[in-house]
């Protein structure tokens, strides 16, 4: 007879233990709420005086990228709730084609969703500003959660969050590239990588996949950066790189490398001094005119010399947490794919139609990165000493916003003090992330004080990889530097606090005061966002018409045909009429060719660019203008004062037979004659936005 096992008696936690757990949970909740409230206050201070002008001003000019980001909120609402259509396609711009595809545009769906309930309540400008402040708070709080998970120290973690959201890079982006302010998914992604490895829970992996989708919907660059962070997390934990044993150095190899390095160095020096020359080798002329290839060869030789000297060994080890991540990864992939399915579906249609835009990557002239000196300059946004450095940054390729990379000097000082005085060992994981991101942000070649040294960086090769290369502006890797520095600051403050516990409060207070002083950009420069009154006339016109803005053209993130201004799309949020022309982050050549088929638009585009038009084109434009006006349902032409040349205005008036409607301070409103009445064309809009050709 089998004996019966005694029943298992499970002990319940005592009331005292349960009560203590509830108190701990309650205190943790109070700390998080206090941290969040403090970040809200900091966001208001760091955007001051914007909170006093939410409905009338912006932190960037509406005529630049800011205008397009405001338009993003409006067009998402317009397509989703007003047209009840798929919000990745719109006929509000480039309206002579069937639709504009927004899959490759910096569309910011996450910010657009946040703005949905606000647009009708407070208007598009106020909604945009409120979302901007919310994104600052979310970014800071997400960084706080990651730093708290790493160090456990609340105040140090809070300062890390303040540094991340308020660093010069983020503040500068908040004047043009607002999608990059929405950096909250990046620290959350790393936090979930750590948590999933510890817990092994499928729901944490599902949250990790959802965060990847969230990052992509904040900014496509951030989706790529999450993949890069995941690859770094795996590599840093799987690979153990150590210096090889001393002795038995390959002396012949070292001597050969030394000779080659000397020869190539002499060639580089000769080109730098003489400006280049040509040689005749075996009857062939060899040009030595550029430093790029010789310096690349020299860099490879130096790296080979270092490898031969130290003979690093690489060991492969799979820790338990990494094994867990790999095992659970299908759950994250599935969740991410499901959440990204709207974007992926629209992208698939674009590829199928042959409209996928792949920018050319040039070896020497592709998008540059930041200057090496930009890492170590004081905050260029600071109201006191910032202008000294802002002018220099603004003169570089890409302008001020793309070249800000200043690492807070207070953070560097604290990290350095912890490493030197406290003998704190800087974690290789976060140090490696900071150094690696710094190399990527330098772009394909190192620049120092504006001089291209032609020294290649990892981005020289990585920019050709299919997914990573789509993040075509390497300067934006600076956000990963700031994330790593924020964590390193929190770790350093924790180490200093443990070394000097009696002075911990004084040290944290002093660091907080210095950090706030260094970072604070207030008062922020604001730009008026009040549309010209001429747009009210267009808005009150009940007909389904189109609007043409002069200067006219097609613009994307890297090129412009004609001279289109993003302010046209900003003002479209006021009048709601379809535009001829437009701006998107990426525009296909087919789109430009489609517009050039209309002689009127081709002529206006050339004149907008400052080019004369041939007599043949002028004749074709004048001959087809009347039919174009009717078929295109052209209701109004808006001329920007000071931007449209006299030749452009005169030709537009003559070709389109325009009459003056109204004049404002910055805009002049015209309309084609005989189009004011209902008899010229039907008052209802054509449903698909196309016109017959």
């Amino acid at each position: 007879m089998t004996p019966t096992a005694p029943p298992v008696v499970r002990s319940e936690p005592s009331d005292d233990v349960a009560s203590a757990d509830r108190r701990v949970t309650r205190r943790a909740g109070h700390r998080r709420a206090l941290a969040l409230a403090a970040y809200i206050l900091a966001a208001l201070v760091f955007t001051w005086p914007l909170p006093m002008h939410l409905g009338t001003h912006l932190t960037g000019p509406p005529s630049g990228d800011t205008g397009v980001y405001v338009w993003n909120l409006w067009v998402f609402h317009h397509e989703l709730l007003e047209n009840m259509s798929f919000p990745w396609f719109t006929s509000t711009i480039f309206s002579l084609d069937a639709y504009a595809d927004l899959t490759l545009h910096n569309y910011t769906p996450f910010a657009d969703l946040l703005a949905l309930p606000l647009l009708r309540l407070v208007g598009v400008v106020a909604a945009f500003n409120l979302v901007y402040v919310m994104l600052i708070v979310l970014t800071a709080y997400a960084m706080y959660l990651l730093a708290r998970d790493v160090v456990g120290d609340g105040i140090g973690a809070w300062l890390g969050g303040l540094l991340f959201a308020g660093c010069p890079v983020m503040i500068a982006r908040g004047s043009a590239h607002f999608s990059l302010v929405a950096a909250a998914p990046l620290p959350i992604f790393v936090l979930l990588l750590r948590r999933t490895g510890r817990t092994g829970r499928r729901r944490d992996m599902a949250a990790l996949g959802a965060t990847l989708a969230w990052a992509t919907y904040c900014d496509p660059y951030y989706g790529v950066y999450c993949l890069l962070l995941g690859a770094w997390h795996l590599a840093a934990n799987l690979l153990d790189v150590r210096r090889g044993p001393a002795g038995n150095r390959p002396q012949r190899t070292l001597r050969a490398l030394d000779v080659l390095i000397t020869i190539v160095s002499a060639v580089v020096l000769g080109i730098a001094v003489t400006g280049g020359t040509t040689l005749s080798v075996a009857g062939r002329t060899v040009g030595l005119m550029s430093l790029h290839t010789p310096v690349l060869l020299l860099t490879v030789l130096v790296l080979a010399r270092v490898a031969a000297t130290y003979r690093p060994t690489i060991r492969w080890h799979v820790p338990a947490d990494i094994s867990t991540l790999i095992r659970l990864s299908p759950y994250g992939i599935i969740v991410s794919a499901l959440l990204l399915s709207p974007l992926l579906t629209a992208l698939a249609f674009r590829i199928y139609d042959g409209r996928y835009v792949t920018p050319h990557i040039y070896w020497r002239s592709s998008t540059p990165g930041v200057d090496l000196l930009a890492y170590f300059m004081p905050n260029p946004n600071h109201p006191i000493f910032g202008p000294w450095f802002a002018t220099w940054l603004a003169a570089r390729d890409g302008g001020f916003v793309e070249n800000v990379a200043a690492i807070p000097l207070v953070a560097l000082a604290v990290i350095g003090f912890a490493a030197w005085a406290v003998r704190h060992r800087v974690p290789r994981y976060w140090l490696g992330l900071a150094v690696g991101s710094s190399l990527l942000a330098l772009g394909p070649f190192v620049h120092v004080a504006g001089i291209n040294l032609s020294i290649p960086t990892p981005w020289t090769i990585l920019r050709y990889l299919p997914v990573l290369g789509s993040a075509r502006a390497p300067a934006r890797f600076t956000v990963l530097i700031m994330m790593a520095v924020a964590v390193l600051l929190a770790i350093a403050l924790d180490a200093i606090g443990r070394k000097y516990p009696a002075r911990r409060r004084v040290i944290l207070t002093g660091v907080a005061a210095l950090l706030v002083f260094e970072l604070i950009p207030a008062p922020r420069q604001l730009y008026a966002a009040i549309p010209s009154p001429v747009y009210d006339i267009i808005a009150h016109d009940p007909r389904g018409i189109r609007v043409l803005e002069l200067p006219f053209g097609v613009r994307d993130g890297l090129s412009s045909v004609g001279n289109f201004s993003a302010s046209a799309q900003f003002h479209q949020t006021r009048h709601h009429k379809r535009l001829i022309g437009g701006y998107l982050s990426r525009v296909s050549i087919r789109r430009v060719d489609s517009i050039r088929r209309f002689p009127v638009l081709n002529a206006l585009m050339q004149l907008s660019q400052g080019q004369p038009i041939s007599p043949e084109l002028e004749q074709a434009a004048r001959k087809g203008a009347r039919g174009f006006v009717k078929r295109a349902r052209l209701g109004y032409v808006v001329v920007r004062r000071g931007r449209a040349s006299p030749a452009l205005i005169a030709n537009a008036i003559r070709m389109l037979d325009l009459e003056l409607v109204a004049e404002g301070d910055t805009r002049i409103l015209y309309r084609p004659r005989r189009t004011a009445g209902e008899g010229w064309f039907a008052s209802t809009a054509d449903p698909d936005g196309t016109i017959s050709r």
Side-chain angles (χ1 to χ4, degrees):
M1 184 176 179
T2 304
T4 304
V8 176
V9 179
R10 300 183 184 276
S11 60
E12 298 293 335
S14 67
D15 292 341
D16 291 341
V17 173
S19 178
D21 289 342
R22 285 194 297 270
R23 286 196 298 271
V24 171
T25 303
R26 197 159 45 242
R27 283 197 297 269
H30 291 163
R31 284 195 297 268
R32 288 193 291 269
L34 182 61
L36 185 61
Y39 283 135
I40 293 173
L41 177 61
L44 296 176
V45 171
F46 274 50
T47 57
W48 191 264
L50 182 65
M52 303 296 293
H53 307 279
L54 289 176
T56 58
H57 287 74
L58 297 164
T59 53
S63 59
D65 289 340
T66 304
V68 179
Y69 282 108
V70 176
W71 178 82
N72 283 351
L73 271 60
W74 171 80
V75 78
F76 187 87
H77 177 277
H78 175 77
E79 297 297 341
L80 185 64
L81 298 185
E82 296 179 18
N83 288 351
M84 303 297 289
S85 61
F86 193 49
W88 266 269
F89 302 108
T90 183
S91 60
T92 58
I93 57 173
F94 303 120
S95 61
L96 300 185
D97 282 340
Y99 57 81
D101 186 340
L102 302 174
T103 52
L104 296 182
H105 175 57
N106 207 353
Y107 195 25
T108 61
F110 176 67
D112 301 340
L113 284 171
L114 290 180
L116 277 181
L118 298 173
L119 286 172
R120 290 187 177 179
L121 291 175
V122 298
V124 65
V125 173
F128 179 84
N129 286 324
L130 288 173
V131 169
Y132 172 45
V133 174
M134 281 191 279
L135 292 177
I136 295 175
V137 175
L138 277 175
T139 298
Y141 187 69
M143 188 70 247
Y144 164 77
L145 294 178
L146 173 60
R148 187 69 185 264
D149 185 72
V150 174
V151 300
D153 178 67
I155 298 179
W158 192 90
L159 290 175
L162 180 69
L163 182 150
F164 186 50
C167 66
V169 171
M170 289 297 186
I171 295 300
R173 297 296 179 181
S175 64
H177 304 150
F178 290 85
S179 59
L180 297 175
V181 177
L186 299 179
I188 295 298
F189 188 83
V190 178
L191 173 64
L192 288 170
L193 279 174
R194 295 165 53 87
R195 181 177 297 173
T196 305
R198 291 195 303 261
T199 65
R201 294 184 302 200
R202 284 176 288 187
R203 67 183 185 188
D204 289 332
M205 177 54 74
L208 185 66
T211 303
L212 174 60
W214 174 25
T216 305
Y217 284 141
C218 286
D219 188 288
Y221 277 67
Y222 286 169
V224 175
Y225 291 176
C226 282
L227 295 176
L228 187 64
L229 286 170
W232 168 250
H233 188 79
L234 292 176
N237 287 279
L238 287 173
L239 304 178
D240 183 19
V241 182
R242 297 180 181 274
R243 180 175 178 174
N248 298 323
R249 303 297 183 197
Q251 297 300 323
R252 290 185 178 179
T253 302
L254 293 176
R255 284 195 293 271
L257 288 172
D258 289 340
V259 171
L260 290 173
I261 289 172
T262 302
I263 294 172
V264 177
S265 298
V267 172
V268 170
L269 182 61
I271 294 175
V273 172
T274 65
T277 186
T278 57
L279 301 176
S280 180
V281 180
R284 294 187 177 184
T285 301
V286 178
L288 297 175
M289 307 300 295
S290 171
L291 287 173
H292 286 86
T293 302
V295 173
L296 173 63
L297 179 58
L298 179 61
T299 304
V300 172
L301 290 173
V302 170
L303 291 177
R305 180 64 165 80
V306 172
T309 301
Y310 293 97
R311 303 178 68 186
T313 59
I314 302 176
R315 297 179 181 178
W316 180 279
H317 173 63
V318 184
D321 58 338
I322 300 301
S323 177
T324 300
L325 283 173
I326 296 172
R327 176 173 53 84
L328 295 177
S329 60
Y331 295 99
I333 294 172
I334 292 172
V335 170
S336 182
L338 288 174
L339 292 175
L340 287 172
S341 57
L343 175 62
L344 297 175
T345 300
L347 187 60
F349 277 114
R350 188 179 187 113
I351 295 173
Y352 178 79
D353 290 342
R355 293 178 291 105
Y356 186 81
V357 180
T358 304
H360 293 290
I361 301 175
Y362 299 100
W363 172 248
R364 299 177 183 176
S365 59
S366 61
T367 307
V370 299
D371 194 285
L372 182 62
L373 295 183
Y375 288 142
F376 307 105
M377 66 172 49
N379 179 8
N381 304 306
H382 201 278
I384 299 176
F385 47 77
W388 291 81
F389 306 97
T391 303
W392 181 74
L393 293 173
R396 287 183 44 78
D397 290 342
F400 172 75
V401 175
E402 283 287 4
N403 287 287
V404 175
I407 303 172
L409 300 179
V410 171
L412 292 178
V414 171
I415 295 168
F417 178 81
W420 172 69
V422 183
R423 297 292 187 267
H424 165 66
R425 186 175 181 180
V426 180
R428 292 197 298 175
Y429 180 97
W430 297 106
L431 181 62
L433 178 60
V435 173
S437 301
S438 300
L439 292 174
L440 292 175
L442 290 173
F445 302 102
V446 178
H447 289 73
V448 177
I451 300 173
N452 185 357
L453 301 182
S454 300
I455 299 174
T457 71
W459 188 245
T460 307
I461 305 301
L462 294 179
R463 58 186 166 150
Y464 292 99
L465 296 181
V467 176
L468 186 58
S470 62
R472 60 190 181 186
R476 299 178 186 183
F477 282 109
T478 49
V479 68
L480 298 181
I481 306 172
M482 301 307 156
M483 187 176 77
V485 170
V487 177
L488 289 172
L489 173 65
I491 294 173
L493 288 173
D494 179 64
I496 295 172
R498 285 186 280 106
K499 177 70 174 180
Y500 306 105
R503 303 178 183 177
R504 180 176 176 274
R505 289 180 179 270
V506 175
I507 293 172
L508 289 174
T509 301
V511 170
L514 291 174
L515 187 64
V516 169
F517 173 76
E518 180 185 8
L519 295 182
I520 193 164
R524 297 283 292 271
Q525 182 177 0
L526 300 183
Y527 299 83
I530 302 174
S532 172
V534 303
Y535 292 104
D536 291 331
I537 298 174
I538 302 175
H540 289 110
D541 192 320
R543 299 171 300 165
I545 57 175
R546 289 183 174 88
V547 176
L548 175 66
E549 294 238 2
L550 299 179
F552 169 75
V554 177
R555 186 181 294 273
D556 68 11
L558 293 178
S559 64
S560 175
V561 181
N563 188 15
F564 187 84
S565 171
S567 63
Q569 285 171 229
F570 169 74
H571 289 114
Q572 188 183 36
T573 67
R574 179 80 166 193
H575 62 70
H576 297 190
K577 308 299 183 186
R578 288 170 295 169
L579 292 175
I580 301 174
Y583 170 97
L584 290 175
S585 298
R586 296 183 185 180
V587 177
S588 66
I589 297 298
R590 186 201 63 80
R591 177 81 64 186
V592 178
D593 292 340
S594 176
I595 290 176
R596 286 192 184 278
R597 292 192 185 100
F598 300 97
V600 172
L601 297 182
N602 192 14
L604 293 178
M605 199 147 51
Q606 289 190 30
L607 289 166
S608 297
Q609 202 163 300
Q611 299 176 352
I613 57 175
S614 65
E616 294 79 12
L617 178 57
E618 182 178 7
Q619 182 179 1
R622 295 184 65 178
K623 182 178 179 180
R626 181 180 176 87
F628 170 80
V629 168
K630 186 171 183 178
R631 288 181 291 136
R633 309 171 63 85
L634 180 61
Y636 296 95
V637 175
V638 181
V639 176
R640 295 181 66 199
R641 289 183 183 273
R643 298 288 183 172
S645 67
L648 172 60
I649 298 173
N651 276 277
I653 292 174
R654 184 168 58 250
M655 285 189 296
L656 298 173
D657 190 21
L658 301 178
E659 63 179 0
L660 180 66
V661 177
E663 294 190 55
D665 293 339
T666 60
R667 301 291 192 277
I668 307 173
L669 183 64
Y670 294 92
R671 68 183 173 204
R673 299 181 192 275
R674 297 183 298 276
T675 64
E678 292 290 339
W680 180 254
F681 44 67
S683 61
T684 56
D686 43 341
D688 62 354
T690 61
I691 69 171
S692 59
R693 295 194 174 98

